[in-house]
mmCIF file of all heavy atoms in Angstrom:
data_model
loop_
_atom_site.group_PDB
_atom_site.id
_atom_site.type_symbol
_atom_site.label_atom_id
_atom_site.label_comp_id
_atom_site.label_asym_id
_atom_site.label_seq_id
_atom_site.Cartn_x
_atom_site.Cartn_y
_atom_site.Cartn_z
ATOM 1 N N ASP M 21 119.141 91.015 67.286
ATOM 2 C CA ASP M 21 117.815 91.639 67.347
ATOM 3 C C ASP M 21 116.800 90.716 68.011
ATOM 4 O O ASP M 21 115.996 91.158 68.829
ATOM 5 C CB ASP M 21 117.325 92.011 65.941
ATOM 6 C CG ASP M 21 118.105 93.166 65.339
ATOM 7 O OD1 ASP M 21 118.849 93.842 66.088
ATOM 8 O OD2 ASP M 21 117.973 93.388 64.118
ATOM 9 N N MET M 22 116.841 89.436 67.663
ATOM 10 C CA MET M 22 115.910 88.483 68.260
ATOM 11 C C MET M 22 116.170 88.327 69.755
ATOM 12 O O MET M 22 115.235 88.223 70.549
ATOM 13 C CB MET M 22 115.994 87.133 67.549
ATOM 14 C CG MET M 22 115.374 87.157 66.160
ATOM 15 S SD MET M 22 115.399 85.557 65.368
ATOM 16 C CE MET M 22 114.198 84.691 66.363
ATOM 17 N N ALA M 23 117.451 88.334 70.143
ATOM 18 C CA ALA M 23 117.777 88.228 71.564
ATOM 19 C C ALA M 23 117.252 89.454 72.314
ATOM 20 O O ALA M 23 116.700 89.338 73.409
ATOM 21 C CB ALA M 23 119.282 88.086 71.758
ATOM 22 N N ALA M 24 117.402 90.632 71.703
ATOM 23 C CA ALA M 24 116.889 91.856 72.326
ATOM 24 C C ALA M 24 115.362 91.804 72.422
ATOM 25 O O ALA M 24 114.783 92.197 73.438
ATOM 26 C CB ALA M 24 117.335 93.085 71.536
ATOM 27 N N GLN M 25 114.708 91.310 71.366
ATOM 28 C CA GLN M 25 113.248 91.195 71.399
ATOM 29 C C GLN M 25 112.807 90.179 72.446
ATOM 30 O O GLN M 25 111.820 90.387 73.148
ATOM 31 C CB GLN M 25 112.711 90.815 70.022
ATOM 32 C CG GLN M 25 112.788 91.928 69.015
ATOM 33 C CD GLN M 25 112.330 91.501 67.635
ATOM 34 O OE1 GLN M 25 112.041 90.340 67.398
ATOM 35 N NE2 GLN M 25 112.267 92.454 66.716
ATOM 36 N N ASP M 26 113.538 89.059 72.552
ATOM 37 C CA ASP M 26 113.223 88.056 73.573
ATOM 38 C C ASP M 26 113.342 88.663 74.967
ATOM 39 O O ASP M 26 112.505 88.427 75.832
ATOM 40 C CB ASP M 26 114.134 86.836 73.458
ATOM 41 C CG ASP M 26 113.816 85.972 72.251
ATOM 42 O OD1 ASP M 26 112.728 86.152 71.659
ATOM 43 O OD2 ASP M 26 114.649 85.112 71.903
ATOM 44 N N LYS M 27 114.402 89.460 75.170
ATOM 45 C CA LYS M 27 114.594 90.102 76.472
ATOM 46 C C LYS M 27 113.460 91.075 76.760
ATOM 47 O O LYS M 27 112.905 91.098 77.867
ATOM 48 C CB LYS M 27 115.940 90.829 76.494
ATOM 49 C CG LYS M 27 116.245 91.475 77.812
ATOM 50 C CD LYS M 27 117.575 92.190 77.782
ATOM 51 C CE LYS M 27 117.812 92.896 79.109
ATOM 52 N NZ LYS M 27 118.976 93.747 79.077
ATOM 53 N N THR M 28 113.088 91.869 75.750
ATOM 54 C CA THR M 28 111.993 92.817 75.916
ATOM 55 C C THR M 28 110.685 92.084 76.208
ATOM 56 O O THR M 28 109.916 92.503 77.085
ATOM 57 C CB THR M 28 111.842 93.685 74.648
ATOM 58 O OG1 THR M 28 113.076 94.362 74.408
ATOM 59 C CG2 THR M 28 110.729 94.697 74.783
ATOM 60 N N LEU M 29 110.439 90.995 75.487
ATOM 61 C CA LEU M 29 109.220 90.214 75.715
ATOM 62 C C LEU M 29 109.210 89.625 77.116
ATOM 63 O O LEU M 29 108.191 89.662 77.806
ATOM 64 C CB LEU M 29 109.101 89.103 74.674
ATOM 65 C CG LEU M 29 107.891 88.185 74.810
ATOM 66 C CD1 LEU M 29 106.590 88.979 74.687
ATOM 67 C CD2 LEU M 29 107.942 87.085 73.769
ATOM 68 N N LEU M 30 110.345 89.107 77.554
ATOM 69 C CA LEU M 30 110.435 88.554 78.897
ATOM 70 C C LEU M 30 110.169 89.630 79.948
ATOM 71 O O LEU M 30 109.430 89.403 80.907
ATOM 72 C CB LEU M 30 111.804 87.917 79.127
ATOM 73 C CG LEU M 30 112.032 87.285 80.495
ATOM 74 C CD1 LEU M 30 111.048 86.142 80.728
ATOM 75 C CD2 LEU M 30 113.453 86.796 80.622
ATOM 76 N N GLU M 31 110.761 90.810 79.748
ATOM 77 C CA GLU M 31 110.519 91.914 80.681
ATOM 78 C C GLU M 31 109.040 92.295 80.695
ATOM 79 O O GLU M 31 108.469 92.548 81.752
ATOM 80 C CB GLU M 31 111.370 93.122 80.310
ATOM 81 C CG GLU M 31 112.851 92.929 80.582
ATOM 82 C CD GLU M 31 113.712 94.045 80.022
ATOM 83 O OE1 GLU M 31 113.171 94.943 79.337
ATOM 84 O OE2 GLU M 31 114.930 94.015 80.267
ATOM 85 N N TYR M 32 108.412 92.308 79.517
ATOM 86 C CA TYR M 32 106.984 92.621 79.445
ATOM 87 C C TYR M 32 106.178 91.554 80.173
ATOM 88 O O TYR M 32 105.240 91.875 80.915
ATOM 89 C CB TYR M 32 106.532 92.725 77.982
ATOM 90 C CG TYR M 32 105.038 92.830 77.855
ATOM 91 C CD1 TYR M 32 104.384 94.026 78.125
ATOM 92 C CD2 TYR M 32 104.276 91.730 77.484
ATOM 93 C CE1 TYR M 32 103.015 94.131 78.026
ATOM 94 C CE2 TYR M 32 102.895 91.822 77.383
ATOM 95 C CZ TYR M 32 102.280 93.018 77.657
ATOM 96 O OH TYR M 32 100.918 93.105 77.564
ATOM 97 N N GLN M 33 106.523 90.278 79.956
ATOM 98 C CA GLN M 33 105.797 89.200 80.619
ATOM 99 C C GLN M 33 105.941 89.301 82.132
ATOM 100 O O GLN M 33 104.977 89.081 82.871
ATOM 101 C CB GLN M 33 106.302 87.842 80.125
ATOM 102 C CG GLN M 33 105.878 87.537 78.701
ATOM 103 C CD GLN M 33 106.553 86.289 78.150
ATOM 104 O OE1 GLN M 33 107.587 85.871 78.632
ATOM 105 N NE2 GLN M 33 105.952 85.711 77.129
ATOM 106 N N ILE M 34 107.138 89.650 82.592
ATOM 107 C CA ILE M 34 107.348 89.802 84.032
ATOM 108 C C ILE M 34 106.499 90.949 84.561
ATOM 109 O O ILE M 34 105.828 90.819 85.584
ATOM 110 C CB ILE M 34 108.843 90.014 84.344
ATOM 111 C CG1 ILE M 34 109.612 88.713 84.107
ATOM 112 C CG2 ILE M 34 109.042 90.507 85.773
ATOM 113 C CD1 ILE M 34 111.120 88.871 84.151
ATOM 114 N N LYS M 35 106.508 92.080 83.846
ATOM 115 C CA LYS M 35 105.701 93.224 84.292
ATOM 116 C C LYS M 35 104.218 92.886 84.269
ATOM 117 O O LYS M 35 103.475 93.264 85.178
ATOM 118 C CB LYS M 35 105.989 94.449 83.432
ATOM 119 C CG LYS M 35 107.318 95.076 83.738
ATOM 120 C CD LYS M 35 107.517 96.351 82.969
ATOM 121 C CE LYS M 35 108.923 96.831 83.200
ATOM 122 N NZ LYS M 35 109.019 98.123 83.749
ATOM 123 N N ALA M 36 103.789 92.180 83.228
ATOM 124 C CA ALA M 36 102.372 91.796 83.152
ATOM 125 C C ALA M 36 102.021 90.866 84.305
ATOM 126 O O ALA M 36 100.979 91.024 84.945
ATOM 127 C CB ALA M 36 102.081 91.116 81.817
ATOM 128 N N THR M 37 102.904 89.933 84.607
ATOM 129 C CA THR M 37 102.667 89.019 85.724
ATOM 130 C C THR M 37 102.614 89.791 87.034
ATOM 131 O O THR M 37 101.735 89.553 87.868
ATOM 132 C CB THR M 37 103.779 87.952 85.781
ATOM 133 O OG1 THR M 37 103.804 87.250 84.537
ATOM 134 C CG2 THR M 37 103.550 86.979 86.900
ATOM 135 N N GLU M 38 103.561 90.713 87.207
ATOM 136 C CA GLU M 38 103.557 91.528 88.423
ATOM 137 C C GLU M 38 102.285 92.365 88.511
ATOM 138 O O GLU M 38 101.701 92.507 89.584
ATOM 139 C CB GLU M 38 104.778 92.444 88.457
ATOM 140 C CG GLU M 38 106.085 91.723 88.694
ATOM 141 C CD GLU M 38 107.284 92.641 88.538
ATOM 142 O OE1 GLU M 38 107.129 93.778 88.064
ATOM 143 O OE2 GLU M 38 108.392 92.199 88.878
ATOM 144 N N THR M 39 101.850 92.889 87.380
ATOM 145 C CA THR M 39 100.645 93.711 87.363
ATOM 146 C C THR M 39 99.429 92.884 87.751
ATOM 147 O O THR M 39 98.626 93.298 88.584
ATOM 148 C CB THR M 39 100.436 94.342 85.972
ATOM 149 O OG1 THR M 39 101.568 95.157 85.675
ATOM 150 C CG2 THR M 39 99.184 95.187 85.924
ATOM 151 N N PHE M 40 99.301 91.696 87.123
ATOM 152 C CA PHE M 40 98.160 90.854 87.458
ATOM 153 C C PHE M 40 98.235 90.397 88.907
ATOM 154 O O PHE M 40 97.217 90.337 89.597
ATOM 155 C CB PHE M 40 98.056 89.661 86.512
ATOM 156 C CG PHE M 40 97.593 90.046 85.141
ATOM 157 C CD1 PHE M 40 98.334 89.729 84.027
ATOM 158 C CD2 PHE M 40 96.404 90.757 84.959
ATOM 159 C CE1 PHE M 40 97.902 90.089 82.764
ATOM 160 C CE2 PHE M 40 95.975 91.126 83.712
ATOM 161 C CZ PHE M 40 96.727 90.794 82.602
ATOM 162 N N ALA M 41 99.431 90.102 89.376
ATOM 163 C CA ALA M 41 99.585 89.729 90.784
ATOM 164 C C ALA M 41 99.221 90.920 91.659
ATOM 165 O O ALA M 41 98.559 90.771 92.690
ATOM 166 C CB ALA M 41 101.016 89.272 91.051
ATOM 167 N N SER M 42 99.633 92.103 91.250
ATOM 168 C CA SER M 42 99.307 93.313 92.004
ATOM 169 C C SER M 42 97.804 93.554 92.010
ATOM 170 O O SER M 42 97.243 93.954 93.031
ATOM 171 C CB SER M 42 100.024 94.526 91.406
ATOM 172 O OG SER M 42 101.421 94.368 91.507
ATOM 173 N N ILE M 43 97.160 93.313 90.879
ATOM 174 C CA ILE M 43 95.707 93.517 90.808
ATOM 175 C C ILE M 43 95.015 92.576 91.784
ATOM 176 O O ILE M 43 94.133 92.979 92.534
ATOM 177 C CB ILE M 43 95.196 93.315 89.362
ATOM 178 C CG1 ILE M 43 95.659 94.475 88.473
ATOM 179 C CG2 ILE M 43 93.676 93.189 89.342
ATOM 180 C CD1 ILE M 43 95.396 94.273 87.007
ATOM 181 N N GLY M 44 95.439 91.333 91.807
ATOM 182 C CA GLY M 44 94.863 90.381 92.742
ATOM 183 C C GLY M 44 95.112 90.791 94.180
ATOM 184 O O GLY M 44 94.207 90.726 95.026
ATOM 185 N N TYR M 45 96.319 91.213 94.450
ATOM 186 C CA TYR M 45 96.660 91.653 95.816
ATOM 187 C C TYR M 45 95.837 92.878 96.196
ATOM 188 O O TYR M 45 95.287 92.962 97.302
ATOM 189 C CB TYR M 45 98.153 91.960 95.905
ATOM 190 C CG TYR M 45 98.573 92.515 97.241
ATOM 191 C CD1 TYR M 45 98.636 91.694 98.363
ATOM 192 C CD2 TYR M 45 98.892 93.861 97.379
ATOM 193 C CE1 TYR M 45 99.008 92.208 99.595
ATOM 194 C CE2 TYR M 45 99.265 94.386 98.608
ATOM 195 C CZ TYR M 45 99.325 93.548 99.711
ATOM 196 O OH TYR M 45 99.689 94.056 100.926
ATOM 197 N N LEU M 46 95.728 93.829 95.259
ATOM 198 C CA LEU M 46 94.950 95.034 95.548
ATOM 199 C C LEU M 46 93.476 94.713 95.772
ATOM 200 O O LEU M 46 92.826 95.298 96.638
ATOM 201 C CB LEU M 46 95.108 96.047 94.413
ATOM 202 C CG LEU M 46 96.486 96.709 94.317
ATOM 203 C CD1 LEU M 46 96.561 97.566 93.058
ATOM 204 C CD2 LEU M 46 96.773 97.548 95.538
ATOM 205 N N ARG M 47 92.945 93.777 94.999
ATOM 206 C CA ARG M 47 91.547 93.377 95.207
ATOM 207 C C ARG M 47 91.369 92.744 96.582
ATOM 208 O O ARG M 47 90.366 92.982 97.259
ATOM 209 C CB ARG M 47 91.107 92.421 94.110
ATOM 210 C CG ARG M 47 90.845 93.130 92.804
ATOM 211 C CD ARG M 47 90.291 92.211 91.761
ATOM 212 N NE ARG M 47 90.053 92.956 90.536
ATOM 213 C CZ ARG M 47 90.038 92.412 89.344
ATOM 214 N NH1 ARG M 47 90.236 91.120 89.206
ATOM 215 N NH2 ARG M 47 89.835 93.156 88.281
ATOM 216 N N ASP M 48 92.347 91.926 96.970
ATOM 217 C CA ASP M 48 92.297 91.306 98.286
ATOM 218 C C ASP M 48 92.317 92.372 99.382
ATOM 219 O O ASP M 48 91.521 92.333 100.325
ATOM 220 C CB ASP M 48 93.459 90.333 98.460
ATOM 221 C CG ASP M 48 93.414 89.618 99.792
ATOM 222 O OD1 ASP M 48 92.345 89.084 100.144
ATOM 223 O OD2 ASP M 48 94.455 89.612 100.481
ATOM 224 N N VAL M 49 93.219 93.336 99.236
ATOM 225 C CA VAL M 49 93.297 94.431 100.209
ATOM 226 C C VAL M 49 91.996 95.219 100.211
ATOM 227 O O VAL M 49 91.463 95.566 101.279
ATOM 228 C CB VAL M 49 94.510 95.351 99.912
ATOM 229 C CG1 VAL M 49 94.446 96.624 100.740
ATOM 230 C CG2 VAL M 49 95.808 94.605 100.164
ATOM 231 N N GLU M 50 91.468 95.494 99.033
ATOM 232 C CA GLU M 50 90.205 96.233 98.927
ATOM 233 C C GLU M 50 89.087 95.474 99.641
ATOM 234 O O GLU M 50 88.297 96.078 100.384
ATOM 235 C CB GLU M 50 89.852 96.435 97.450
ATOM 236 C CG GLU M 50 88.552 97.173 97.230
ATOM 237 C CD GLU M 50 88.189 97.271 95.758
ATOM 238 O OE1 GLU M 50 88.622 96.417 94.964
ATOM 239 O OE2 GLU M 50 87.450 98.204 95.424
ATOM 240 N N ASN M 51 89.023 94.175 99.461
ATOM 241 C CA ASN M 51 87.990 93.378 100.133
ATOM 242 C C ASN M 51 88.163 93.415 101.650
ATOM 243 O O ASN M 51 87.183 93.563 102.387
ATOM 244 C CB ASN M 51 88.012 91.932 99.631
ATOM 245 C CG ASN M 51 87.507 91.814 98.207
ATOM 246 O OD1 ASN M 51 86.749 92.659 97.743
ATOM 247 N ND2 ASN M 51 87.932 90.781 97.510
ATOM 248 N N ARG M 52 89.403 93.270 102.105
ATOM 249 C CA ARG M 52 89.640 93.300 103.545
ATOM 250 C C ARG M 52 89.297 94.665 104.136
ATOM 251 O O ARG M 52 88.672 94.752 105.196
ATOM 252 C CB ARG M 52 91.092 92.936 103.862
ATOM 253 C CG ARG M 52 91.338 91.434 103.697
ATOM 254 C CD ARG M 52 92.709 91.038 104.169
ATOM 255 N NE ARG M 52 93.667 91.378 103.115
ATOM 256 C CZ ARG M 52 94.924 91.701 103.325
ATOM 257 N NH1 ARG M 52 95.408 91.764 104.543
ATOM 258 N NH2 ARG M 52 95.726 91.981 102.323
ATOM 259 N N VAL M 53 89.700 95.727 103.432
ATOM 260 C CA VAL M 53 89.386 97.084 103.911
ATOM 261 C C VAL M 53 87.873 97.298 103.882
ATOM 262 O O VAL M 53 87.291 97.877 104.811
ATOM 263 C CB VAL M 53 90.128 98.154 103.075
ATOM 264 C CG1 VAL M 53 89.597 99.545 103.353
ATOM 265 C CG2 VAL M 53 91.621 98.091 103.341
ATOM 266 N N GLY M 54 87.216 96.816 102.838
ATOM 267 C CA GLY M 54 85.756 96.937 102.748
ATOM 268 C C GLY M 54 85.064 96.209 103.890
ATOM 269 O O GLY M 54 84.110 96.732 104.489
ATOM 270 N N GLU M 55 85.536 94.991 104.194
ATOM 271 C CA GLU M 55 84.961 94.237 105.310
ATOM 272 C C GLU M 55 85.187 94.969 106.633
ATOM 273 O O GLU M 55 84.293 95.055 107.482
ATOM 274 C CB GLU M 55 85.559 92.830 105.377
ATOM 275 C CG GLU M 55 85.129 91.916 104.243
ATOM 276 C CD GLU M 55 83.627 91.663 104.252
ATOM 277 O OE1 GLU M 55 83.059 91.471 105.341
ATOM 278 O OE2 GLU M 55 83.038 91.676 103.151
ATOM 279 N N GLN M 56 86.379 95.489 106.801
ATOM 280 C CA GLN M 56 86.689 96.242 108.023
ATOM 281 C C GLN M 56 85.804 97.482 108.127
ATOM 282 O O GLN M 56 85.296 97.808 109.198
ATOM 283 C CB GLN M 56 88.179 96.647 108.024
ATOM 284 C CG GLN M 56 88.651 97.289 109.298
ATOM 285 C CD GLN M 56 88.700 96.305 110.466
ATOM 286 O OE1 GLN M 56 88.743 95.102 110.292
ATOM 287 N NE2 GLN M 56 88.693 96.839 111.670
ATOM 288 N N TYR M 57 85.600 98.146 106.992
ATOM 289 C CA TYR M 57 84.737 99.330 106.964
ATOM 290 C C TYR M 57 83.312 98.959 107.373
ATOM 291 O O TYR M 57 82.669 99.663 108.158
ATOM 292 C CB TYR M 57 84.756 99.970 105.571
ATOM 293 C CG TYR M 57 83.808 101.122 105.432
ATOM 294 C CD1 TYR M 57 84.112 102.360 105.979
ATOM 295 C CD2 TYR M 57 82.594 100.974 104.767
ATOM 296 C CE1 TYR M 57 83.230 103.421 105.870
ATOM 297 C CE2 TYR M 57 81.707 102.026 104.647
ATOM 298 C CZ TYR M 57 82.035 103.248 105.198
ATOM 299 O OH TYR M 57 81.155 104.300 105.098
ATOM 300 N N LYS M 58 82.796 97.829 106.851
ATOM 301 C CA LYS M 58 81.441 97.384 107.202
ATOM 302 C C LYS M 58 81.338 97.112 108.696
ATOM 303 O O LYS M 58 80.353 97.496 109.346
ATOM 304 C CB LYS M 58 81.072 96.113 106.423
ATOM 305 C CG LYS M 58 80.728 96.347 104.988
ATOM 306 C CD LYS M 58 80.377 95.023 104.321
ATOM 307 C CE LYS M 58 80.208 95.194 102.824
ATOM 308 N NZ LYS M 58 79.959 93.904 102.163
ATOM 309 N N ARG M 59 82.358 96.420 109.240
ATOM 310 C CA ARG M 59 82.340 96.137 110.676
ATOM 311 C C ARG M 59 82.341 97.427 111.499
ATOM 312 O O ARG M 59 81.600 97.548 112.475
ATOM 313 C CB ARG M 59 83.526 95.251 111.060
ATOM 314 C CG ARG M 59 83.262 93.793 110.738
ATOM 315 C CD ARG M 59 84.381 92.918 111.231
ATOM 316 N NE ARG M 59 85.041 92.474 110.006
ATOM 317 C CZ ARG M 59 86.333 92.321 109.844
ATOM 318 N NH1 ARG M 59 87.159 92.561 110.829
ATOM 319 N NH2 ARG M 59 86.828 91.922 108.711
ATOM 320 N N LEU M 60 83.185 98.385 111.103
ATOM 321 C CA LEU M 60 83.222 99.669 111.822
ATOM 322 C C LEU M 60 81.896 100.398 111.698
ATOM 323 O O LEU M 60 81.409 101.005 112.666
ATOM 324 C CB LEU M 60 84.366 100.546 111.299
ATOM 325 C CG LEU M 60 85.773 100.098 111.667
ATOM 326 C CD1 LEU M 60 86.797 100.937 110.923
ATOM 327 C CD2 LEU M 60 85.986 100.210 113.170
ATOM 328 N N ASP M 61 81.298 100.349 110.516
ATOM 329 C CA ASP M 61 80.018 101.011 110.296
ATOM 330 C C ASP M 61 78.930 100.371 111.166
ATOM 331 O O ASP M 61 78.119 101.079 111.785
ATOM 332 C CB ASP M 61 79.656 100.929 108.813
ATOM 333 C CG ASP M 61 78.568 101.913 108.427
ATOM 334 O OD1 ASP M 61 78.583 103.051 108.948
ATOM 335 O OD2 ASP M 61 77.697 101.530 107.616
ATOM 336 N N GLU M 62 78.917 99.045 111.221
ATOM 337 C CA GLU M 62 77.943 98.340 112.062
ATOM 338 C C GLU M 62 78.170 98.682 113.536
ATOM 339 O O GLU M 62 77.202 98.900 114.295
ATOM 340 C CB GLU M 62 78.044 96.826 111.847
ATOM 341 C CG GLU M 62 77.542 96.374 110.485
ATOM 342 C CD GLU M 62 77.896 94.932 110.183
ATOM 343 O OE1 GLU M 62 78.554 94.245 111.019
ATOM 344 O OE2 GLU M 62 77.528 94.468 109.083
ATOM 345 N N LYS M 63 79.426 98.716 113.945
ATOM 346 C CA LYS M 63 79.748 99.053 115.328
ATOM 347 C C LYS M 63 79.285 100.473 115.659
ATOM 348 O O LYS M 63 78.701 100.727 116.735
ATOM 349 C CB LYS M 63 81.253 98.920 115.544
ATOM 350 C CG LYS M 63 81.680 98.960 116.977
ATOM 351 C CD LYS M 63 83.177 98.664 117.059
ATOM 352 C CE LYS M 63 83.593 98.482 118.491
ATOM 353 N NZ LYS M 63 85.017 98.168 118.611
ATOM 354 N N LEU M 64 79.533 101.397 114.725
ATOM 355 C CA LEU M 64 79.110 102.780 114.923
ATOM 356 C C LEU M 64 77.587 102.864 115.014
ATOM 357 O O LEU M 64 77.045 103.585 115.874
ATOM 358 C CB LEU M 64 79.643 103.662 113.791
ATOM 359 C CG LEU M 64 79.380 105.148 113.910
ATOM 360 C CD1 LEU M 64 80.033 105.718 115.175
ATOM 361 C CD2 LEU M 64 79.892 105.874 112.686
ATOM 362 N N ASP M 65 76.886 102.124 114.156
ATOM 363 C CA ASP M 65 75.420 102.106 114.218
ATOM 364 C C ASP M 65 74.935 101.579 115.563
ATOM 365 O O ASP M 65 73.992 102.135 116.157
ATOM 366 C CB ASP M 65 74.834 101.249 113.080
ATOM 367 C CG ASP M 65 74.934 101.925 111.723
ATOM 368 O OD1 ASP M 65 75.143 103.159 111.696
ATOM 369 O OD2 ASP M 65 74.815 101.222 110.698
#
């Protein structure tokens, strides 16, 4: 039971790490897209 719980906890930690890494990556993408949008908007103006 403890080995199964350890495995489940490890899987959760991996998913949490992936999620936090994904959040950081998504924020980075959002910032880059936002900057690109501002540049396009300025160019259009």
